[in-house]
């Protein structure tokens, strides 16, 4: 075990005897730049005393024990692993962030800020591009609820979402192939089943073959051939959650704070791809 990790582990084991006293337990899945940006934003907005535990520093971490012995007033779960672990906590409020979409029916003491931008924002961009038949791949167990909202937003704008359900990443290339000649754009949503390191290339090969744009959720994909990306602002997600945390610490029941979508994002375009596809887009600055 590296020396730093050993020191962290020893501090963790000695924590009850060190008389730690804090209000907020920040449970972070791993040491990741995006997570750190979100945590920094959170701490800027919520200045309550806190302790951060990074789960990847430990072989195992006993959250039940931490809650029982250290008695924080609030848990902030950062990332998928931290959120999964926090599901069992019922006795104190839990707020999550940097989670794409919860896969469980959440207990009443849980709320947070997700990573899925309001689908109407994507629909507005697709409408701007002149797209009317939009191909979308999704896993119902991950993003089914989001897709229902997306379909409602698309119908209001006179668009048709041509959807394909993905149960395994292996299905993605074939399901994309089934959309040939049926769509004039692809909307790549952040669904971990449909979009993975093994499947992203298939989206852009399909785009090139059909000469249609891919609208995606991260500007990383612009370098691979994406046309438009709507990217979340991680620091602001942290600030947004910090505002919720302040309310909870001031006495507002977490049950009265519904889960929120990111309020701020940026829109970026790959002008080379748009030119090749003979498309144009007036790119606003996000919101």
């Amino acid at each position: 075990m590296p020396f730093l990790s050993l020191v962290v582990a020893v501090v963790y084991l000695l924590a009850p005897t060190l008389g730690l006293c804090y209000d907020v337990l920040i449970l972070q899945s791993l040491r990741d730049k995006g997570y750190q940006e979100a945590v920094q934003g959170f701490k800027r907005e919520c200045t309550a005393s806190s302790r951060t535990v990074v789960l990847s520093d430990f072989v195992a971490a006993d959250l039940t024990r931490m809650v029982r012995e250290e008695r924080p007033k609030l848990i902030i779960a950062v990332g998928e692993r931290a959120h999964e672990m926090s599901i069992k906590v019922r006795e104190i409020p839990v707020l999550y962030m940097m989670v794409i979409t919860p896969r469980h029916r959440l207990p009443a003491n849980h709320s947070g800020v997700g990573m899925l931008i309001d689908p109407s924002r994507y629909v507005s961009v697709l409408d701007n591009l002149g797209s009317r038949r939009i191909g979308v791949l999704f896993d119902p167990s991950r993003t089914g609820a989001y897709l229902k909202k997306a379909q409602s937003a698309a119908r209001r704008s006179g668009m048709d979402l041509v959807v394909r359900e993905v149960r395994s990443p292996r299905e993605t290339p074939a399901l994309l192939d089934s959309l040939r000649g049926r769509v004039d754009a692809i909307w790549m949503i952040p669904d971990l089943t449909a979009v993975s390191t093994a499947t992203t290339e298939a989206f852009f090969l399909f785009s090139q073959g059909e000469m249609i744009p891919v609208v995606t959720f991260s500007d990383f994909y612009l370098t691979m051939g994406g046309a438009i990306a709507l990217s979340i602002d991680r620091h602001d997600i942290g600030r947004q959650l910090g505002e919720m945390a302040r309310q909870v610490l001031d006495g507002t029941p977490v049950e009265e704070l519904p889960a929120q979508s990111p309020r701020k994002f940026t829109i970026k375009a790959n002008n080379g791809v748009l030119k090749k596809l003979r498309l144009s887009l007036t790119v606003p600055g996000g919101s």
Side-chain angles (χ1 to χ4, degrees):
M1 178 184 293
F3 178 73
L4 180 59
S5 296
L6 178 61
V7 170
V8 171
V10 170
V11 170
Y12 167 73
L13 292 172
L14 292 178
T17 63
L18 293 177
L20 291 179
C21 181
Y22 60 91
D23 291 328
V24 180
L25 172 60
I26 301 174
L27 197 66
Q28 186 173 320
S29 296
L30 50 84
R31 296 190 182 277
D32 171 83
K33 181 181 178 182
Y35 290 170
Q36 288 299 119
E37 289 177 9
V39 170
Q40 288 169 5
F42 173 82
K43 289 183 175 180
R44 177 177 175 182
E45 199 65 40
C46 178
T47 57
S49 58
S50 65
R51 178 189 179 203
T52 300
V53 173
V54 181
L55 295 178
S56 60
D57 289 345
F58 306 99
V59 175
D62 189 342
L63 180 58
T64 301
R65 177 191 170 199
M66 279 188 277
V67 170
R68 182 180 66 250
E69 296 182 347
E70 300 173 21
R71 298 183 180 181
K73 296 177 182 177
L74 173 66
I75 291 175
I76 301 299
V78 187
E80 302 284 345
R81 182 184 172 194
H83 183 245
E84 289 285 335
M85 181 178 287
S86 72
I87 290 294
K88 298 178 182 178
V89 176
R90 305 297 172 89
E91 61 270 34
I92 62 173
V94 176
L95 297 177
Y96 64 81
M97 63 178 174
M98 302 306 292
V99 175
I100 291 178
T101 179
R103 298 193 68 179
H104 304 278
R105 184 178 181 83
L106 296 180
N109 65 314
H110 287 241
S111 187
V113 179
M115 295 177 67
L116 296 176
I117 296 170
D118 188 317
S120 65
R121 305 289 193 171
Y122 285 98
V123 168
S124 177
V125 168
L126 289 159
D127 188 30
N128 194 309
L129 289 174
S131 303
R132 284 293 171 265
R133 299 173 300 156
I134 319 300
V136 184
L137 273 61
F138 77 108
D139 179 345
S141 70
R142 290 187 181 274
T143 52
Y146 185 74
L147 238 292
K148 288 182 180 179
K149 294 179 181 179
Q151 288 172 318
S152 296
R155 281 193 295 269
R156 290 194 296 269
S157 295
M159 297 179 187
D160 180 27
L161 295 190
V162 184
V163 301
R164 296 290 186 268
E165 295 186 3
V166 183
R167 308 290 178 174
S168 164
R170 293 191 301 272
E171 299 174 353
T172 293
L175 289 172
L176 282 169
D177 195 59
S178 74
L179 294 173
R180 292 191 183 280
R182 298 174 181 269
V183 297
D184 49 35
I186 289 290
W187 177 6
M188 179 192 282
I189 66 174
D191 183 301
L192 295 177
T193 304
V195 182
S196 67
T197 54
T199 65
T200 49
E201 185 179 12
F203 281 90
F204 300 109
L205 288 175
F206 180 83
S207 166
Q208 293 167 16
E210 295 291 288
M211 291 295 289
I212 61 174
V214 173
V215 175
T216 182
F217 57 89
S218 171
D219 52 18
F220 168 78
Y221 294 114
L222 296 181
T223 63
M224 300 178 67
I228 306 291
L230 279 68
S231 301
I232 59 173
D233 184 324
R234 294 173 176 82
H235 188 268
D236 192 69
I237 283 178
R239 295 192 65 181
Q240 194 173 343
L241 195 78
E243 293 172 7
M244 295 177 70
R246 287 207 326 265
Q247 291 179 269
V248 171
L249 293 172
D250 286 342
T252 301
V254 71
E255 295 90 339
E256 296 180 9
L257 299 174
Q260 301 177 15
S261 297
R263 63 190 175 189
K264 191 173 181 180
F265 60 94
T266 59
I267 302 177
K268 294 183 180 180
N270 183 328
N271 292 321
V273 169
L274 291 178
K275 183 177 180 180
K276 183 177 180 180
L277 298 176
R278 298 182 180 179
L279 295 171
S280 63
L281 177 76
T282 302
V283 180
S287 65

